Amino acid sequence: LFQEASAMIQSWSRTKVSQARVQGLGPNLSYFLLRFGEGAMRGPDAPLVFVDGVPASLQDQCAARINEDAIRSARLVIQEETQPRQRDMRSERLPGDRGGV
């Protein structure tokens, strides 16, 4: 199994394994497509997909697992990533500002 999977990867030096910010295969694949576009599915950084430990076609799994719920979950994560963080105005006071006193 490992040898089969290693044949799919062009360079192990580019491979990074980490916990997905988006949990679930459908939402994770949706996130990838929404964030990087369909062209990225054929690029060197396209994710490898395994189903029950067996390498699977990225295109087939996208077709089978991406649905409205998966897209909604992915959009929420992307929205969270792209919105500026809310600042705590109390910690942003200028020197000499007495807070409206």
Side-chain angles (χ1 to χ4, degrees):
L1 180 64
F2 178 78
Q3 290 176 339
E4 290 175 33
S6 66
M8 296 173 63
I9 299 175
Q10 295 176 3
S11 170
W12 279 105
S13 65
R14 295 177 56 130
T15 302
K16 180 180 177 185
V17 177
S18 60
Q19 180 178 353
R21 183 145 188 253
V22 179
Q23 295 297 311
L25 186 52
N28 205 317
L29 294 173
S30 297
Y31 175 85
F32 177 79
L33 285 177
L34 289 172
R35 183 91 197 277
F36 302 108
E38 286 186 42
M41 289 175 62
R42 295 175 292 282
D45 295 321
L48 296 176
V49 179
F50 294 84
V51 177
D52 296 326
V54 178
S57 162
L58 175 59
Q59 291 81 5
D60 290 347
Q61 291 303 306
C62 284
R65 296 182 184 262
I66 293 177
N67 57 34
E68 289 182 30
D69 289 336
I71 292 169
R72 190 176 307 112
S73 295
R75 281 190 176 139
L76 288 173
V77 172
I78 291 171
Q79 181 180 11
E80 180 182 291
E81 290 175 345
T82 56
Q83 287 181 345
R85 294 182 189 256
Q86 296 294 325
R87 297 177 190 255
D88 181 16
M89 294 304 291
R90 290 170 290 178
S91 65
E92 300 271 328
R93 290 189 183 138
L94 298 172
D97 180 4
R98 298 188 333 194
V101 176

